[in-house]
Amino acid sequence: MDRKKVEQWVADYRRLWRTPGTGDLGKIFTDDVRYLPSPWRAPITGLDDLGGFWEAERAGADEGFTMASDVVAVEGPVAVVRVAVDYETGSRWRDLWAVEYADDGRCRRFEEWPFSPGQPDGHG
């Protein structure tokens, strides 16, 4: 992978999040994808389970939000991406994504480290 391919993958992820249904997830994720929505949750494995997770997590394909991203590092098939998502509802998230790609450019392992204001950070 290289920076341009990772940026395109992130743009495709954002586009699919805004697309009704989950039938196109196989365009950016492998059939046996392992998706960790946080370091503390059990992984979601496979496209069918990932589709169910996406539908449960989003308010709908038309939910209002802005998303900015910055590719922090790319090393072989692994990339780290910093993501900022601000929802029209006022919810704000800052994430780090660790994404491992298969040879065909689809994601085979996704790990998200999500942070939101007011969320306990483990200090104190």
Side-chain angles (χ1 to χ4, degrees), residues 83-99:
V83 179
V85 181
D86 295 304
Y87 291 91
E88 288 178 359
T89 61
S91 177
R92 298 171 42 209
W93 292 91
R94 301 301 177 258
D95 299 341
L96 284 178
W97 293 354
V99 187

Side-chain angles (χ1 to χ4, degrees), residues 32-37 41-46 48-51 53-54:
D32 63 346
V33 63
R34 182 178 160 97
Y35 188 108
L36 284 85
R41 291 183 57 184
I44 297 158
T45 305
D48 288 340
D49 288 346
L50 180 57
F53 170 78
W54 271 40

Side-chain angles (χ1 to χ4, degrees), residues 73-117:
V74 180
E75 182 71 31
V78 178
V80 176
V81 182
R82 185 176 19 234
V83 179
V85 181
D86 295 304
Y87 291 91
E88 288 178 359
T89 61
S91 177
R92 298 171 42 209
W93 292 91
R94 301 301 177 258
D95 299 341
L96 284 178
W97 293 354
V99 187
E100 182 179 340
Y101 297 95
D103 291 340
D104 64 4
R106 294 183 300 154
C107 173
R108 68 175 162 213
R109 188 169 192 281
F110 180 96
E111 184 175 339
E112 181 174 8
W113 291 72
F115 295 91
S116 180

